[in-house]
Amino acid sequence: MNNTGTNVTPALAAEMGLTADEFARAEAILGRTPNLTELGIFSAMWSEHCSYKSSKVWLKTLPTTGPQVICGPGENAGVVDIGDGDAVVFKIESHNHPSFIEPYQGAATGVGGILRDVFTMGARPIAILDALRFGSPDHPKTRHLVAGVVAGIGGYGNCVGVPTVGGECQFHPAYNGNILVNAMCVGLARADRIFYSAAAGPGNLVIYVGAKTGRDGIHGATMASAEFGADADAKRPTVQVGDPFTEKLLIEACLELMQGNAIVAIQDMGAAGLTSSAVEMAGKGGLGIELDLDRVPVREAGMSAYEIMLSESQERMLMILAPGSAAEARRVFDKWELDFAVIGRVTETGRLVLHMRGAVAADIPVGPLVGEAPLYQRPWRPTPPQPDIDAATLPARDPRDCLSKLIACPDLASKRWVWQQYDQLVLGNTVQRPGGDAAVVRVGDGLKALALCTDSTPRYCRADPERGGAQAVAESWRNLTAVGATPLALTDNMNFGNPERPEIMGQFVGAIAGMRAACTALDYPVVSGNVSLYNETSGDGILPTPVIGGVGLLADLRRAVDLGLKRDGNALLLIGETIGHLGASLYLREIEGRETGPPPAVDLAAERRHGDFVRARIAEGDVAACHDVADGGLLVAVAEMAMAGGRGIALDPPPAAMPAHAWWFGEDQARYLVETGDPEALIAAARQAGIPVRRIGIVGGAALTLPGANAISVAQLISANEGWLPGYMAQA
């Protein structure tokens, strides 16, 4: 497309995702009808993906500050102080629509994009995590999508040399037509050397670095801001193509240049490419930018201004240099064999002005483009409450059979097949690999370490979005605590359906309310994140899926614990209260075939008390192993500890007043299992602190033995748990 010969009309604007009112607003800002390039810029910047026009009003209610927070939402990534002059930089983002259309490149470029968000801030990436949701295993596309996404994540992360250390993977028919691929990156920086994106210094040069610009990914941001229809495959040209080897060079070149004082501002060319990077830098700085598009390195002949500005080709950055720094910057990028081009300058005009082939290709005032972007208070309707589930009305079943079925179900089955395709150990700092409550990664050469996890329970969010949002935050907090880490802050990826439907907007509003309450109660602020809406196909939306990426700090990694049972004769204690809640549980879904009932209540004061107690006991060396109780309930958590440690356990009888299935499989919150060699002391400490505690078994043997001599061998459990996913993926 080019500016000449294309008649810009409301109909064309609608094809690009702008409503009639939005197009009229763009005309009013310009004082005329935009040309094609200008229309493309308005369309991209005012897309849901870039402007957050349906979600911003609610996102602003989340707590985002704290004494540890250096930089909260609004930049490329969040930044948190971890002491000793160090900072952790992290963010999670989605690449859902591209990954459904072209799973390998969609997932790969999702990893590439989140890496750039982190090293743009001056941080060296040290870890990747992913949160994946696929459709029913019976759906004809699911196996193909799993294979492509996993290969894409592994292919990019492995080649670029950053370990993939954790994540999650679930299956549900609600994702048949719209999978979720969320990627999180964590990096380390010096707290006094953080780089930001606001343009400064009129007259300073605007520099393009990295790979050349092609025609891939044009209007990717707009595509990500609309639901799918039957023509999803036709959107394949909007998916970007990644090159991890170029990304590795770009990381090293940027970090090398960041050692000096050349960079005034820097921004990744992510969604909407050169458009968003230039507009955001100018907007944040309250300045203008003038670009000569003839100077942009391109890999295809005859590219128009529209194509150059809207391309989402990967591995590209835009930076503003201090006066006199261009020669040194060019030397660095020449050394790493990357394109380096002076393509413009910062101005005082407050306008984005684009020149190409001797003409003005676009002239837009930046302030209104950013400040007058649409902001909607969309109508919303709360999710109606689900009727309670009376556990006593459910039939009694053999808990061994139920356990065997649960640990082999798609959600709980081992995801070793996935993470074995990822390099978990590159860089040499991975202390705890995938498969536990949280990954643990060493910071530098000392004893300090970070704990990292991703969490969400979409079935809870569908039943009660507010409880589900609170539970996602609380579970993230628990998973960090379970390895001994102090939770610091989180990043969120809000994956929902079409916000123009009041029931979907109600899910978003409810989830934010629950998250806000949990973040506040747990002193666990949100420092970065992403919103992905319109995740539906032909009107069928996904489950509401707010993914929480958590980061915690271990002052001494030697005190970290994992979930594997350690020593015969040790006692296993249950911290927290059990009432046997089965609503919205995996037991109800997998054993009884029902997806009904409310999710468990989330007592945030209890979460705080219980977590602080467990963390303190871990720090004192009183805990040999720890695991939070979550999906599948108590017996599943015990089995996971037994499988991880290769040891059996003899379990005590459940309370007489509670149905056995409620005790073993209820999903009550704020609970931990802890293994200890001195149960009396730990029980006394818990009771003194007012913490519910109960001994539930003794470690030993090679089987999980329930009351009444009902045993199931640990080897049998491992076989059931490990076998499903490889077997599924091996099918023709």
Side-chain angles (χ1 to χ4, degrees):
M1 287 185 178
N2 54 55
N3 286 344
T4 60
T6 300
N7 186 26
V8 172
T9 63
L12 180 60
E15 287 181 26
M16 291 189 183
L18 291 174
T19 67
D21 287 344
E22 290 168 353
F23 180 60
R25 183 180 301 193
E27 288 187 308
I29 287 171
L30 291 175
R32 56 179 170 80
T33 298
N35 64 36
L36 181 65
T37 299
E38 292 165 338
L39 180 65
I41 290 170
F42 275 102
S43 169
M45 293 309 300
W46 288 3
S47 69
E48 194 75 59
H49 191 78
C50 291
S51 73
Y52 294 83
K53 58 190 175 186
S54 299
S55 58
K56 187 178 291 186
V57 65
W58 299 106
L59 296 174
K60 287 181 176 179
T61 67
L62 292 170
T64 59
T65 61
Q68 73 276 35
V69 178
I70 295 173
C71 176
E75 275 291 341
N76 288 288
V79 186
V80 174
D81 194 328
I82 57 172
D84 307 311
D86 296 323
V88 59
V89 180
F90 60 98
K91 188 181 183 183
I92 190 169
E93 279 212 342
S94 62
H95 233 217
N96 303 333
H97 287 63
S99 298
F100 182 78
I101 297 167
E102 213 303 304
Y104 184 95
Q105 290 296 347
T109 52
V111 172
I114 199 64
L115 285 165
R116 290 193 299 280
D117 280 338
V118 167
F119 74 77
T120 298
M121 303 291 293
R124 177 170 292 281
I126 63 164
I128 297 166
L129 297 91
D130 55 55
L132 311 176
R133 264 84 191 175
F134 297 103
S136 168
D138 297 331
H139 191 273
K141 290 191 73 168
T142 298
R143 191 177 291 104
H144 161 73
L145 291 168
V146 173
V149 165
V150 171
I153 292 170
Y156 206 101
N158 295 353
C159 291
V160 85
V162 179
T164 302
V165 299
E168 53 180 348
C169 177
Q170 297 176 348
F171 297 80
H172 192 278
Y175 304 103
N176 281 349
N178 202 125
I179 64 174
L180 301 185
V181 176
N182 295 176
M184 176 177 171
C185 180
V186 181
L188 291 175
R190 297 300 296 169
D192 60 354
R193 296 289 293 171
I194 305 300
F195 289 79
Y196 299 98
S197 58
N204 282 344
L205 299 179
V206 178
I207 309 296
Y208 173 115
V209 298
K212 288 180 170 60
T213 295
R215 289 190 170 96
D216 53 320
I218 292 174
H219 264 306
T222 307
M223 180 270 290
S225 304
E227 66 177 83
F228 283 147
D231 62 343
D233 282 344
K235 299 180 185 290
R236 192 175 303 273
T238 63
V239 179
Q240 310 91 330
V241 177
D243 179 354
F245 300 106
T246 298
E247 181 101 340
K248 174 62 174 173
L249 299 178
L250 189 60
I251 292 172
E252 299 305 330
C254 288
L255 292 179
E256 180 176 335
L257 189 59
M258 285 169 171
Q259 293 175 13
N261 298 311
I263 298 176
V264 172
I266 183 169
Q267 175 72 39
D268 162 41
M269 289 190 217
L274 187 52
T275 286
S276 63
S277 55
V279 170
E280 289 172 9
M281 294 176 89
K284 289 175 183 176
L287 294 166
I289 282 183
E290 192 167 346
L291 301 180
D292 182 351
L293 300 187
D294 292 318
R295 297 184 178 184
V296 172
V298 294
R299 65 169 182 260
E300 300 183 48
M303 290 188 69
S304 67
Y306 174 93
E307 292 170 324
I308 290 172
M309 291 303 294
L310 275 299
S311 168
E312 293 185 9
S313 294
Q314 297 292 286
E315 296 89 37
R316 302 178 302 157
M317 310 286 278
L318 198 65
M319 59 178 64
I320 294 168
L321 296 184
S325 300
E328 171 60 17
R330 183 182 294 277
R331 183 195 66 78
V332 170
F333 282 89
D334 284 348
K335 168 188 168 182
W336 292 100
E337 299 181 345
L338 294 167
D339 276 296
F340 176 98
V342 178
I343 66 168
R345 62 188 180 90
V346 179
T347 70
E348 294 181 293
T349 65
R351 304 183 75 85
L352 176 68
V353 180
L354 309 178
H355 299 275
M356 191 171 189
R357 297 170 190 148
V360 174
D363 186 349
I364 304 174
V366 173
L369 177 61
V370 175
E372 296 180 29
L375 189 62
Y376 295 124
Q377 272 267 21
R378 295 200 185 275
W380 61 276
R381 184 165 60 245
T383 300
Q386 290 271 335
D388 285 333
I389 299 294
D390 183 356
T393 64
L394 299 177
R397 301 183 187 275
D398 186 332
R400 294 173 301 173
D401 294 341
C402 296
L403 175 62
S404 295
K405 185 172 182 180
L406 279 168
I407 63 169
C409 79
D411 277 7
L412 291 179
S414 169
K415 302 307 183 295
R416 186 184 302 275
W417 180 91
V418 173
W419 50 260
Q420 278 189 332
Q421 299 184 54
Y422 304 153
D423 191 332
Q424 311 134 46
L425 299 177
V426 64
L427 302 180
N429 292 316
T430 306
V431 178
Q432 290 192 28
R433 302 193 197 190
D437 289 297
V440 177
V441 179
R442 181 186 293 106
V443 174
D445 298 325
L447 295 176
K448 195 162 54 177
L450 295 171
L452 314 169
C453 63
T454 60
D455 292 287
S456 185
T457 311
R459 65 182 185 279
Y460 290 176
C461 296
R462 180 173 65 176
D464 185 329
E466 187 166 351
R467 277 193 191 180
Q471 188 274 341
V473 172
E475 185 175 357
S476 168
W477 196 84
R478 282 200 307 270
N479 280 328
L480 299 175
T481 293
V483 299
T486 300
L488 293 175
L490 64 89
T491 180
D492 59 13
N493 208 135
M494 307 295 290
N495 305 276
F496 289 78
N498 186 342
E500 298 168 46
R501 294 165 55 195
E503 67 274 20
I504 300 298
M505 198 65 219
Q507 293 175 345
F508 187 91
V509 172
I512 289 285
M515 291 166 57
R516 178 175 65 248
C519 290
T520 301
L522 300 173
D523 288 331
Y524 194 32
V526 181
V527 297
S528 61
N530 172 251
V531 176
S532 176
L533 302 177
Y534 295 95
N535 288 290
E536 54 183 81
T537 298
S538 302
D540 293 327
I542 63 166
L543 301 183
T545 312
V547 174
I548 305 300
V551 174
L553 179 65
L554 282 149
D556 186 344
L557 60 84
R558 295 173 298 183
R559 291 295 192 189
V561 297
D562 61 22
L563 75 165
L565 296 176
K566 297 296 186 298
R567 183 178 179 184
D568 290 358
N570 280 354
L572 191 63
L573 306 183
L574 174 63
I575 304 293
E577 185 177 6
T578 300
I579 63 171
H581 183 95
L582 287 173
S585 66
L586 280 183
Y587 178 87
L588 202 65
R589 188 180 85 188
E590 299 293 331
I591 305 302
E592 299 298 337
R594 297 165 53 185
E595 294 190 59
T596 55
V602 181
D603 183 336
L604 293 169
E607 291 281 4
R608 184 67 182 260
R609 287 195 307 273
H610 301 177
D612 289 349
F613 174 80
V614 168
R615 195 181 313 106
R617 300 281 68 79
I618 292 173
E620 291 296 322
D622 300 335
V623 173
C626 182
H627 189 26
D628 88 308
V629 181
D631 288 348
L634 178 61
L635 196 57
V636 166
V638 171
E640 289 170 341
M641 296 183 78
M643 291 187 291
R647 295 176 185 274
I649 184 167
L651 293 169
D652 297 342
M658 185 180 298
H661 50 272
W663 169 256
W664 294 125
F665 303 108
E667 295 184 5
D668 307 291
Q669 300 294 290
R671 296 188 298 165
Y672 300 82
L673 287 170
V674 295
E675 177 190 357
T676 180
D678 191 354
E680 292 78 12
L682 203 150
I683 288 171
R687 289 177 175 162
Q688 184 176 4
I691 305 293
V693 61
R694 178 188 180 107
R695 197 198 83 160
I696 65 162
I698 297 294
V699 178
L704 193 157
T705 305
L706 284 81
N710 295 316
I712 180 170
S713 74
V714 174
Q716 186 178 345
L717 290 170
I718 291 172
S719 177
N721 183 245
E722 297 277 358
W724 179 79
L725 188 53
Y728 171 71
M729 294 306 297
Q731 296 174 33

